[in-house]
Amino acid sequence: MALGSPQHEHPFGHLIDTLRSEQYEERRYFNPQKLSDVRYEKLPFCVRVLLESAIRKCDGFYIKTDDVSSILDWQTQQNQSEVAFSPARVLLQDFTGIPAMVDLAAMRDALAKQGVDPNLVNPRCPTDLIVDHSLQIDYSKCAIQSPPTPTDESHGAAVKSPAGRPSPRGSSSGHCSGQRPSHRGGCSKASCSDAPSGRSAAVQIENTPLLCPFHLQPVSEPETMVRNQEMELSRNKERLEFFKWCSKAFKNINVVPPDINTVHQVNLEYLCQVVQEGEGFIYPDSVVGTDSHTTMINGLGILGWGVGGIESEAVMLGQPVSLTLPQVVGCKLVGTINPLATSIDIVLGITKHLRQAGIGGKFVEFFGPGVQQLSAPDRTTIANMCPEYNATVSFFPVDDITLQHFKHTICSEEKLLVLEDYLKAIKLFRSYGDQSEEPQYSEVIEMNLSSIVPHVSGPKRPQDRVAVTCMKEDFINCLNEKVGFKGFHISKEKQATQVPFLHEGAEYNLAHGSVVIAAVISCTNNCNPSVMLAAGLLAKKAVEAGLTVKPYIRTSLVPGSGTVTHYLNTSGVLPYLRKLGFEVVGYGCATCVGNTAPLPESVVDAIKQGDLVACGVLSGNRHLEGRLCDCVRANYLASPPLVVAYAIAGTVSINLETEPLGMNSEGKDVYLRDIWPSKEEVNHTEENIVIASMFKELRSRMEKGSMFWNRLDSAESALFPWDPKSTYIRCPSFFGKLSKEVCTPQSVEGAYPLLFLGDKVTTDHISPAGSIARVSAAAKYLQSKRLTPREFNSYGARRGNDAVMTRGTFASIKLQNRLIGKTGPKTLHIPSGQTLDVFEAAERYQRDGVPLIILAGKEYGSGSSRDWAAKGPYLMGVRAVIAESFEKIHRNHLVGMGIAPLQFLPGQNADSLELCGKERFTINIPQELTPRQQLTVQASTGKSFSVTALFENDMDVAFFRHGGILKYVARSLLP
């Protein structure tokens, strides 16, 4: 039903109202206030957004009047009624976006074969695809230990780049022609300085963003960033050409090219509207996205959460999201923030608090006097972490602080007026001074902000927080503890091991706790200028105090957008970060998704020789063991200034309160307190740097795109011209034998377990996103296509190729499979007794016509949302997963691919049922399947037990009956 239809055609046409002002043109909107129902003003603000959408999109088919009634009656219907929600837009990043777009391209092919016009397959919901997950750190700059001393001979001469290639004057590589070999990476925007012979040895760093200060050569970007971007564009050319075709072939989709911004930054700084306008109406902005950071947008009063790639495709094609009406936990913030606590400390404090409160699957809405102490960037930082405490949403309603933020970012004066008037008209604007506005929540949890002190998180999980003052003691305890989430089991006599090694001609020592990776990266932090500026100010004070970072530490700085680089540069702190080795290497997700460049061989050899627990420190939100680098066992999340501090210290086995970071040139100890910037310093710098001009510049950059992108060629056709030689883009086999008829559900008979897994199996275990191991099944496939290991790229980059991704399923080196009793991507082929790669075993089962299941423990599928964590098992022949519990998004993925998520009954698991994992299983699935029905599973040993089929609603059952969402949608387009 078109929104512009006459009022009498819409079930809630009588709620249409007009927003009037002399300062802007009239706007129409649906006004829930006109329901004249006292329950509306008692609804949490996030639930009011659901209600407005249900009213506006009510068509009697996808969204019914009963949905509106259930939402309005939220107090009694929460956690019971299923409702449909149509978000205003869909957000994709390229790792999860490319399989979605490949699926739509394949759907066009399948429908064209059935005589259907392929042009009918288009996103019906506005969709933005941001290409940001392709960046890998091939080049990085270690700390510059001394400034260059150019000589007369260097002027005008061609020099060698670090890779040994000539770099003529004025080349685009970013070299200034006067580079000396000792100056690693050349002149890059102020890291070069004039220090002729006879001058004082003191280092003077000037902030000259446009010129190399000695040679006065224009330098457009740091060399490391330019070279990483060149590698990114080169290795991903096929994928980018496909995205370019998508931008032309499909309607209603916007593609943001690479090297512009990260997905969550684009969402915050460019795409978010707060109030959308379309089809003659204004309405609240809302979004579902395939990136785990989608929830950041909740910090700006925009309702949004992460969904699977499969669900996002359904929304793109006009299907609403089906959800159980959520419980909403009110998080009341009180107290005063500690001056030393950063937003990261607040984030991790709230993460631990809410995780302990058990709010999994619920919405969280923040309120109370403490909220007014948080800036808009602080709020988005907090909202970003809600997946880590297993909430669906962490919502901050729009208030005066949010409006002030919009004045400097996205809004014209007219739009700001419309936004404020509209949100106040429908009671979506929050005033903390008016106690009568307090909604009713499912429960209230109070958080005292004054209790928060600086923490890091690790060594393996984000919820394991460690006070900075207790870091040394905690790390030693981790060495003593048995291997687990907080233990490495290093014997007492080996804990003092030190291994000497040579790096670039100098000798160093590594020990347990030595930092070898220090990364200030995009996730969580760079949306908040205060923490990034704090890192820069700390670096400035450190350099001025004579502190350095050891050159073997893999340091990197990956801002989420050019905005961050801009304010770090114009505030004068970027040169000091470079001096310590924190060079901008590019824009995109890098270290946090495993795209870390290899460590120096001498460092790796030393770690292996001493069996050392080496450490990585990063300012992200994911640090699963082995994710950064196979040989780095301990990884800690920290705020950006603490990342810099630990890099200077060179170890995590230090008490930063009582032990010095190092010594200055005079041999005097320098402590963290000596160089830690005050809150007043940070706020002053932020207020004078983070201004509207930066956001305007960023918007201009995104709208212009990159030169490489603009020059890319792409086909002008409705159907994508698949290249059979391509190893990046392949037409998947999801639509084979597509017919109008729907088969009845079939029981699973005589299935073998492909894997027998324990608790907390993450999507990283199921479908890795990092590098492709040389001995893996995916590597063998790529080698058969005549690719060298250097050309393998990552699993994330090859998500458009089902052959690679199926072979990469369960290819994690950290997979613990009870069928073989050791860690690795192997399993037991039960009939033959052979231990094989998981893919090879699945392939043999499929060849023999044997169905497969997976046995698992608690929280199966936790972590990042990845559609290939369901698509891969589906193509392997997995028909069902039997687990103690599932992560919600992954459960939705399984349903979306036609795999049955089955849950052991409470108190039962594989061990209590005495299952060894080598039985054959038959699952009886009735033809009239209903939501949450109990099914009977029979084992070949004669044992039988019941499980709950986790189909939450009739739509889930329909998807399962059709063999997944994709076939369901495709069949809806058949005549």
Side-chain angles (χ1 to χ4, degrees), residues 39-266:
R39 292 176 295 178
Y40 177 70
E41 294 189 15
K42 293 300 181 182
L43 293 176
F45 282 71
C46 54
V47 176
R48 297 179 198 183
V49 177
L50 296 178
L51 179 63
E52 189 282 337
S53 175
I55 290 171
R56 176 170 40 85
K57 302 292 286 186
C58 184
D59 59 3
F61 180 64
Y62 288 124
I63 299 179
K64 304 175 181 179
T65 55
D66 287 346
D67 291 318
V68 174
S69 299
S70 294
I71 298 172
L72 192 59
D73 195 25
W74 171 81
Q75 281 291 346
T76 61
Q77 295 298 314
Q78 57 182 296
N79 211 30
Q80 296 182 33
S81 297
E82 287 290 323
V83 297
F85 172 60
S86 290
R89 53 191 175 92
V90 175
L91 183 69
L92 306 174
Q93 44 93 337
D94 56 317
F95 269 19
T96 51
I98 194 165
M101 299 313 299
V102 166
D103 290 347
L104 292 188
M107 188 183 295
R108 280 193 167 193
D109 279 10
L111 291 173
K113 292 175 183 177
Q114 299 285 336
V116 177
D117 181 3
N119 287 304
L120 293 177
V121 179
N122 287 295
R124 297 177 185 174
C125 182
T127 300
D128 297 286
L129 192 157
I130 293 83
V131 184
D132 78 321
H133 273 50
S134 306
L135 179 67
Q136 295 186 36
I137 304 175
D138 295 283
Y139 302 98
S140 67
K141 177 181 287 187
C142 290
I144 304 168
Q145 300 303 318
S146 61
T149 309
T151 61
D152 291 338
E153 290 83 353
S154 68
H155 284 256
V159 298
K160 296 284 185 178
S161 71
R165 298 178 305 186
S167 180
R169 176 182 293 198
S171 71
S172 62
S173 69
H175 275 303
C176 176
S177 62
Q179 176 196 354
R180 294 182 66 211
S182 64
H183 182 182
R184 298 183 57 185
C187 302
S188 26
K189 288 189 178 179
S191 60
C192 175
S193 61
D194 186 0
S197 178
R199 290 269 183 99
S200 169
V203 178
Q204 179 66 37
I205 297 182
E206 300 177 9
N207 180 41
T208 53
L210 298 179
L211 299 176
C212 162
F214 184 80
H215 302 101
L216 301 182
Q217 297 273 346
V219 181
S220 61
E221 294 287 352
E223 181 198 4
T224 51
M225 182 176 71
V226 172
R227 295 183 70 182
N228 279 313
Q229 289 175 346
E230 289 173 352
M231 287 295 295
E232 175 189 4
L233 299 174
S234 174
R235 67 161 56 98
N236 292 291
K237 185 178 179 182
E238 283 185 51
R239 299 169 65 247
L240 297 178
E241 287 174 339
F242 174 73
F243 285 139
K244 191 70 175 283
W245 172 82
C246 291
S247 69
K248 294 180 178 180
F250 291 106
K251 299 176 182 178
N252 221 15
I253 188 163
N254 169 52
V255 178
V256 176
D259 295 323
I260 300 295
N261 217 322
T262 55
V263 58
H264 34 292
Q265 289 301 115
V266 173

Side-chain angles (χ1 to χ4, degrees), residues 363-406:
F363 283 20
V364 176
E365 185 167 295
F366 292 88
F367 73 107
V371 175
Q372 293 175 290
Q373 299 177 57
L374 303 176
S375 66
D378 285 336
R379 298 175 188 190
T380 58
T381 306
I382 294 167
N384 174 72
M385 287 293 277
C386 84
E388 303 305 324
Y389 45 80
N390 222 9
T392 303
V393 159
S394 289
F395 193 72
F396 288 84
V398 175
D399 62 3
D400 288 324
I401 292 174
T402 324
L403 288 182
Q404 285 295 113
H405 173 76
F406 291 141

Side-chain angles (χ1 to χ4, degrees), residues 359-540:
I359 46 81
K362 300 175 184 178
F363 283 20
V364 176
E365 185 167 295
F366 292 88
F367 73 107
V371 175
Q372 293 175 290
Q373 299 177 57
L374 303 176
S375 66
D378 285 336
R379 298 175 188 190
T380 58
T381 306
I382 294 167
N384 174 72
M385 287 293 277
C386 84
E388 303 305 324
Y389 45 80
N390 222 9
T392 303
V393 159
S394 289
F395 193 72
F396 288 84
V398 175
D399 62 3
D400 288 324
I401 292 174
T402 324
L403 288 182
Q404 285 295 113
H405 173 76
F406 291 141
K407 287 181 180 178
H408 297 298
T409 56
I410 65 170
C411 284
S412 64
E413 189 64 31
E414 178 183 330
K415 183 159 188 179
L416 200 63
L417 289 170
V418 172
L419 183 156
E420 183 175 1
D421 289 349
Y422 169 65
L423 293 181
K424 288 181 176 178
I426 63 171
K427 293 286 186 177
L428 278 178
F429 189 87
R430 192 72 160 92
S431 175
Y432 292 100
D434 187 353
Q435 296 298 317
S436 66
E437 286 192 1
E438 294 293 329
Q440 292 179 352
Y441 295 106
S442 306
E443 60 178 302
V444 172
I445 298 173
E446 187 170 292
M447 179 78 184
N448 192 330
L449 297 176
S450 60
S451 66
I452 296 175
V453 295
H455 281 77
V456 296
S457 180
K460 301 180 183 182
R461 301 187 303 176
Q463 63 264 37
D464 296 325
R465 300 174 67 233
V466 185
V468 171
T469 54
C470 301
M471 181 64 165
K472 184 174 183 177
E473 178 185 356
D474 186 81
F475 181 75
I476 293 172
N477 289 338
C478 289
L479 295 181
N480 291 325
E481 289 293 327
K482 293 180 180 180
V483 174
F485 293 126
K486 288 282 289 183
F488 298 101
H489 198 52
I490 304 297
S491 60
K492 291 279 188 182
E493 60 272 15
K494 293 184 178 181
Q495 289 182 17
T497 298
Q498 291 199 9
V499 181
F501 69 99
L502 289 176
H503 179 75
E504 296 182 346
E507 183 172 312
Y508 301 92
N509 287 309
L510 283 185
H512 293 292
S514 290
V515 173
V516 294
I517 296 175
V520 176
I521 56 179
S522 61
C523 298
T524 304
N525 312 305
N526 61 355
C527 68
N528 191 325
S530 65
V531 289
M532 295 297 283
L533 288 171
L537 291 170
L538 185 143
K540 179 176 184 294

Side-chain angles (χ1 to χ4, degrees), residues 703-715:
E703 288 165 1
K704 289 179 181 177
S706 65
M707 184 179 297
F708 181 92
W709 174 263
N710 294 335
R711 290 177 177 176
L712 268 181
D713 291 327
S714 61

Side-chain angles (χ1 to χ4, degrees), residues 540-555:
K540 179 176 184 294
K541 290 188 173 188
V543 171
E544 291 171 345
L547 299 178
T548 61
V549 173
K550 294 180 176 63
Y552 60 80
I553 297 176
R554 183 69 70 188
T555 51

Side-chain angles (χ1 to χ4, degrees), residues 293 344 348 384-385 462 519-525 592 617-623 636-640 643:
H293 301 287
I344 308 306
L348 296 178
N384 174 72
M385 287 293 277
V520 176
I521 56 179
S522 61
C523 298
T524 304
N525 312 305
C592 60
V617 186
L618 65 153
S619 58
N621 73 338
R622 292 288 166 83
H623 63 332
Y636 290 90
L637 303 182
S639 65
V643 171

